[in-house]
Amino acid sequence: MSPIRVLAVDDSALMRNMLSAVVNQQPDMEMVGTAPDAFIARELIKQLNPDVLTLDIDMPRMDGLEFLSRLMRLRPMPVVMISSLTTRGSAATLRALEHGAVDFVPKPEHREEDNIARWSQLVIEKIRIAARARLTPPAPTARPLLAGIRVRQQSIIAIGSSTGGTEALRQVLMPLPVSTPGIVIAQHMPAGFTYSFAQRLDSLCQIAVREAQDGEPVLPGTALIAPGDRHMEIIGQDSGYRIRLSDAPAVNRHRPSVDVLFDSVARQASRHASAAILTGMGGDGARGLLHLRQTGAFTLAQSEATCVVFGMPREAIALGAAKKVVDLGDISQCLLDSFAYKSSPKTDSRR
């Protein structure tokens, strides 16, 4: 198999050298070129035909967002953003994902050997995933609002996602009406980005979207996103639920872990829950989705044709965890319809 051909675009010579060293140490990839700005990158893309591009956001002459937007219109290819952890940087990174970037890697905050080693491993993983990713055209910025449903206090929706999940979640949440059961979400994302991500979704959706806080209630018409680097669970409170956050060890190499969230929803809500597992690499969430289905919850997995990375849904389907496999554009309605089905007196809670 041919090695993955990588081109790094960054105005920092140090970052270009770091990325080159990391990539060239891998047997399955090679750094075919580096560029200090978008104009040189444009010429190198034509000459070198790379498989994956790593792209900085803050660059002279043309910033990474503008270059990415032009690139995805004229020559779509897998792009991994190399992003600052600042508030401005996280907001720009989310816009890059909307423009079609596959994923992102925060720039290392500290230069200690252990931190650089972890960062290097993350870069390699993201490049490998990007090389296999399915590029999807940008979704419309607006979608028709769906009809509301009668919301019961015990009803709840749980969603898990990873690579490609920021855009998938946007498409799922935007059409949902205020009369939607409370939603809890585990999206694999580092600390420092989930707050901006929630703010961005909140500005686009009819429902309220925010980063979850420990102890807060799960309310209808609200989606709560697990903070980066913290597990999120629900616990029973009267006839509803509230959030519990923890710093427990990573599960399936992730914190937040989709399995941790799904298992808690299965224990607390069982047949009152509906759950969806969306695009992402690996198997996090597959066993939790099976647990949910076994307790009577309605479960679905995103279809391969609409996933950026068909990993987590594939694992869930293989386990028999998904009652339905659904295209991304139909997931919102399918989740709402599942509650009408639950309210039917003939419903078999085990399905």
Side-chain angles (χ1 to χ4, degrees):
M1 179 180 288
S2 299
I4 302 167
R5 298 167 55 81
V6 183
L7 176 67
V9 186
D10 200 301
D11 65 328
S12 164
L14 175 62
M15 283 302 301
R16 296 197 302 272
N17 290 337
M18 286 176 64
L19 287 165
S20 295
V22 168
V23 166
N24 287 331
Q25 287 174 3
Q26 308 306 311
D28 60 338
M29 60 184 69
E30 62 177 331
M31 185 65 74
V32 295
T34 65
D37 62 47
F39 295 93
I40 295 174
R42 182 179 59 190
E43 297 306 312
L44 289 180
I45 289 170
K46 295 176 185 176
Q47 296 172 22
L48 301 173
N49 194 30
D51 300 311
V52 176
L53 193 75
T54 69
L55 179 61
D56 186 20
I57 291 177
D58 293 314
M59 295 189 298
R61 303 176 70 191
M62 181 191 297
D63 69 31
L65 282 179
E66 177 62 25
F67 179 60
L68 177 68
S69 179
R70 297 185 184 192
L71 180 69
M72 297 314 261
R73 286 198 308 269
L74 302 173
R75 204 277 195 192
M77 63 181 298
V79 176
V80 176
M81 304 304 295
I82 308 294
S83 170
S84 163
L85 272 172
T86 64
T87 301
R88 178 175 173 273
S90 61
T93 300
L94 296 171
R95 297 303 297 269
L97 296 173
E98 291 179 13
H99 285 314
V102 172
D103 212 333
F104 68 95
V105 180
K107 288 186 176 180
E109 285 190 290
H110 308 289
R111 299 294 165 86
E112 291 88 351
E113 186 175 346
D114 286 351
N115 190 57
I116 293 298
R118 287 192 297 271
W119 178 82
S120 300
Q121 187 58 41
L122 186 61
V123 168
I124 293 307
E125 289 178 3
K126 300 289 189 181
I127 290 173
R128 288 190 180 120
I129 292 170
R132 299 196 295 270
R134 182 194 305 273
L135 297 183
T136 56
T141 54
R143 292 186 62 191
L145 198 64
L146 300 175
I149 62 171
R150 180 178 159 207
V151 178
R152 296 169 182 263
Q153 195 167 2
Q154 290 177 295
S155 299
I156 188 170
I157 294 171
I159 303 175
S161 52
S162 188
T163 308
T166 54
E167 277 304 281
L169 286 167
R170 182 170 72 90
Q171 292 194 54
V172 170
L173 298 184
M174 278 182 61
L176 293 177
V178 173
S179 54
T180 294
I183 304 170
V184 287
I185 299 168
Q187 159 70 37
H188 295 160
M189 187 174 278
F193 287 86
T194 41
Y195 180 78
S196 295
F197 178 46
Q199 282 190 315
R200 175 66 178 157
L201 288 177
D202 187 66
S203 72
L204 297 171
C205 297
Q206 290 291 316
I207 63 172
V209 185
R210 58 178 176 263
E211 186 181 62
Q213 295 185 19
D214 190 53
E216 75 172 300
V218 180
L219 299 174
T222 301
L224 300 175
I225 299 175
D229 202 32
R230 301 203 74 188
H231 287 308
M232 183 168 77
E233 300 176 272
I234 64 164
I235 56 178
Q237 175 179 276
D238 300 326
S239 297
Y241 315 98
R242 63 184 176 90
I243 295 296
R244 180 166 63 193
L245 302 178
S246 82
D247 298 318
V251 174
N252 303 320
R253 298 174 59 240
H254 293 288
R255 189 172 67 190
S257 162
V258 180
D259 270 335
V260 168
L261 176 63
F262 281 3
D263 282 339
S264 74
V265 175
R267 290 192 303 270
Q268 300 293 335
S270 59
R271 63 187 178 86
H272 300 291
S274 291
I277 192 163
L278 308 182
T279 175
M281 190 70 182
D284 186 34
R287 293 193 179 278
L289 197 74
L290 179 61
H291 187 189
L292 277 159
R293 188 173 188 189
Q294 289 170 339
T295 59
F298 173 82
T299 58
L300 68 81
Q302 185 179 343
S303 67
E304 180 176 8
T306 61
C307 279
V308 172
V309 178
F310 188 58
M312 289 158 55
R314 184 200 301 275
E315 292 297 317
I317 293 166
L319 286 177
K323 178 177 174 60
K324 286 189 175 182
V325 178
V326 182
D327 287 347
L328 178 58
D330 298 325
I331 288 176
S332 309
Q333 187 67 66
C334 190
L335 288 170
L336 292 178
D337 289 346
S338 72
F339 290 97
Y341 180 64
K342 291 174 196 293
S343 67
S344 168
K346 296 182 180 179
T347 296
D348 171 10
S349 67
R350 301 297 296 182
R351 287 193 287 290

